[in-house]
Amino acid sequence: FCFFPAAGRRRDAVAVIDAVQCHHPPRGADAPSEMRQVQAWEDHKEDDVYFDQAGVPRDWYWFRQPQVFGGVPAEEDGRRAAVEFAGTTVPVPGSSGVLQLPSAGFGTAFYPEDHLRGTPEEALVCESVDAALRAGVRLFDCANQYTSQRHVGAALERALQTGLVSRDELVVVTKLAQFDSHSEVVEGVQRALGELRLDYVDVLMPHIPCSNEGWRWFEEEVDAGRVRHLGISNYDQLGAQGLPKLKELLLSCRIRPAVHEFELHPLLQNREMVEFCQKEGIQILSYSPLGAPHKVQKYVDGISGLVSAEEAEARRYQLSCLDHPATIALARRRGVSPAQLVLSWHFRKGFVPIPKSWDPVHIKANCPGVLASLVLEPAEMNVLEAMDADVRTILLYKKGTRREL
């Protein structure tokens, strides 16, 4: 399955259902409990607010009982959630000891379009981090170039002081984007520690691939005790040079990277990089695990006028796994959200997804415990595997908004 033209997406969604032998579930009292919110959407299909132009419900899975999916209630008590989800961790061996990595994390980048929500950045970030902690999330992905990092630090400090979470439970990742000397690396780490209000960070990584000398500066931060583990990010963006550069780093480094963070989702599966990292024992953290659903409309608007309206609408699937007919059909069949379906794909592939949301309802619905309870069938995994189209959403979005198709 690749990209479907807008006029045929209903037909193709039905074809996907037939391909995996999905059938419409019974309605009413005979329906399983997790399907009742789906039926609630079908009962309100005349309301255009909740449907896209093809008549596909865009948020049907949030309409009724949004705190329950697949029979797994979202927990209000963060510590109780942490106990229940304690088994969903990934031990990652490394030169500086074993990193117990939670099986799912939380992204904290605050984008310009997030201001459109009308809530101040500080309040939005703090409330979302608190909601994530109470849902059992323990991995937080930060960076010095994120304006939100200081707000994440404030929320974590409050959680630590109130006993909602202990420091040993947390895995805090941060990244440095620009550094030309060892002193700049030291300053960057100290700035991150100050903003995060922590004594150490669990994982430090360069935001883009760095030189071997730069990596040695990072190693010295581990020696100094300010950093526990090292990671890398975005080596896949080097194209054909990505793997050779990574192999060169592994041959020359003293402390091996424990994790590699890069864009990964069913539309961009990076198979060669994934295979290499798994062979080398480098745990994969997948950012933009759902594609870029928050940028779809802006992208479609940006390419309007360059292509037909139908083609522009069809290209929304290039950015968002949630808009793809395959995920919509499979999610409807399972009575879960498209986001849960895609995140479960990451979980079953052995990746650690880092979704981002400012909505407490979505955060609870996509918590590690829910993902661990959703087991995809082989046929469902095959459908999601077939969606691979080598689409890097960040570059495609930039290209579209610059009107350079």
Side-chain angles (χ1 to χ4, degrees):
F1 301 95
C2 292
F3 302 120
F4 301 93
R9 57 184 156 181
R10 277 182 175 176
R11 179 188 67 251
D12 291 317
V14 172
V16 172
I17 296 177
D18 292 338
V20 296
Q21 298 181 341
C22 301
H23 303 285
H24 291 293
R27 295 183 59 83
D30 295 330
S33 60
E34 64 267 24
M35 291 301 298
R36 290 173 189 160
Q37 61 265 41
V38 180
Q39 295 170 6
W41 269 115
E42 294 173 350
D43 293 337
H44 288 75
K45 61 185 178 182
E46 298 301 323
D47 191 338
D48 292 337
V49 174
Y50 301 119
F51 286 77
D52 68 12
Q53 293 178 358
V56 177
R58 299 191 57 77
D59 283 315
W60 51 267
Y61 36 91
W62 309 122
F63 186 63
R64 294 281 178 86
Q65 298 179 327
Q67 74 277 18
V68 179
F69 293 94
V72 180
E75 294 294 344
E76 293 294 332
D77 182 358
R79 186 162 299 281
R80 180 180 173 189
V83 171
E84 291 190 359
F85 305 155
T88 57
T89 59
V90 181
V92 183
S95 302
S96 24
V98 176
L99 170 64
Q100 288 292 340
L101 200 65
S103 58
F106 187 76
T108 63
F110 194 90
Y111 298 114
E113 55 264 32
D114 292 324
H115 287 286
L116 300 177
R117 300 179 69 92
T119 303
E121 179 179 345
E122 180 178 5
L124 196 62
V125 174
C126 288
E127 291 170 5
S128 299
V129 170
D130 182 72
L133 287 167
R134 293 182 183 279
V137 177
R138 296 297 181 262
L139 168 61
F140 294 89
D141 182 51
C142 309
N144 272 15
Q145 72 179 92
Y146 297 168
T147 59
S148 59
Q149 183 165 258
R150 65 186 186 275
H151 307 315
V152 174
L156 293 180
E157 182 182 53
R158 183 161 52 249
L160 290 167
Q161 290 175 345
T162 60
L164 177 61
V165 66
S166 68
R167 180 64 183 92
D168 290 342
E169 294 177 74
L170 293 174
V171 175
V172 181
V173 179
T174 194
K175 300 178 283 292
L176 305 185
Q178 296 179 342
F179 48 89
D180 296 318
S181 65
H182 180 219
S183 63
E184 290 186 0
V185 171
V186 173
E187 291 172 4
V189 172
Q190 290 176 337
R191 172 191 162 189
L193 293 176
E195 291 184 341
L196 291 167
R197 309 185 190 190
L198 299 173
D199 295 327
Y200 65 89
V201 293
D202 298 275
V203 181
L204 174 69
M205 59 180 69
H207 219 137
I208 57 176
C210 65
S211 65
N212 291 343
E213 183 181 21
W215 187 259
R216 287 193 290 272
W217 299 335
F218 275 54
E219 291 175 330
E220 293 186 25
E221 290 305 292
V222 176
D223 298 337
R226 291 183 286 267
V227 174
R228 292 289 175 89
H229 303 271
L230 298 181
I232 55 176
S233 64
N234 294 315
Y235 268 76
D236 65 312
Q237 292 192 18
L238 296 178
Q241 295 301 312
L243 280 178
K245 288 291 185 182
L246 179 50
K247 292 176 182 178
E248 179 184 330
L249 172 65
L250 295 180
L251 288 173
S252 64
C253 68
R254 175 168 56 89
I255 300 178
R256 287 170 58 91
V259 299
H260 184 188
E261 182 178 334
F262 56 94
E263 182 181 353
L264 187 62
H265 44 77
L267 293 173
L268 178 66
Q269 297 184 27
N270 267 311
R271 299 179 193 273
E272 189 175 10
M273 182 63 74
V274 165
E275 181 180 355
F276 179 80
C277 289
Q278 292 179 332
K279 180 181 177 181
E280 291 293 327
I282 301 173
Q283 177 60 46
I284 295 170
L285 275 62
S286 44
Y287 72 72
S288 295
L290 306 175
H294 59 295
K295 293 184 176 180
V296 166
Q297 194 56 52
K298 192 171 183 180
Y299 170 71
V300 171
D301 293 343
I303 64 176
S304 296
L306 300 177
V307 297
S308 68
E310 183 180 73
E311 184 177 354
E313 182 66 20
R315 289 193 182 189
R316 69 170 56 246
Y317 306 134
Q318 294 181 322
L319 279 177
S320 173
C321 298
L322 307 187
D323 286 293
H324 200 289
T327 55
I328 292 174
L330 290 177
R332 182 185 288 273
R333 177 233 182 185
R334 294 297 299 268
V336 298
S337 74
Q340 288 173 318
L341 187 84
V342 174
L343 292 174
S344 183
W345 174 84
H346 288 268
F347 192 88
R348 302 304 160 190
K349 295 284 289 184
F351 311 145
V352 175
I354 309 174
K356 187 199 84 170
S357 175
W358 306 125
D359 188 330
V361 174
H362 291 196
I363 293 169
K364 290 180 182 179
N366 297 330
C367 68
V370 173
L371 300 183
S373 71
L374 177 58
V375 180
L376 298 183
E377 300 170 2
E380 294 170 323
M381 290 293 292
N382 290 340
V383 170
L384 296 174
E385 293 285 310
M387 286 170 53
D388 190 10
D390 195 29
V391 173
R392 193 177 309 280
T393 61
I394 293 178
L395 299 182
L396 181 65
Y397 169 73
K398 291 179 179 178
K399 186 176 183 180
T401 51
R402 289 202 309 265
R403 296 181 174 269
E404 296 177 0
L405 286 177

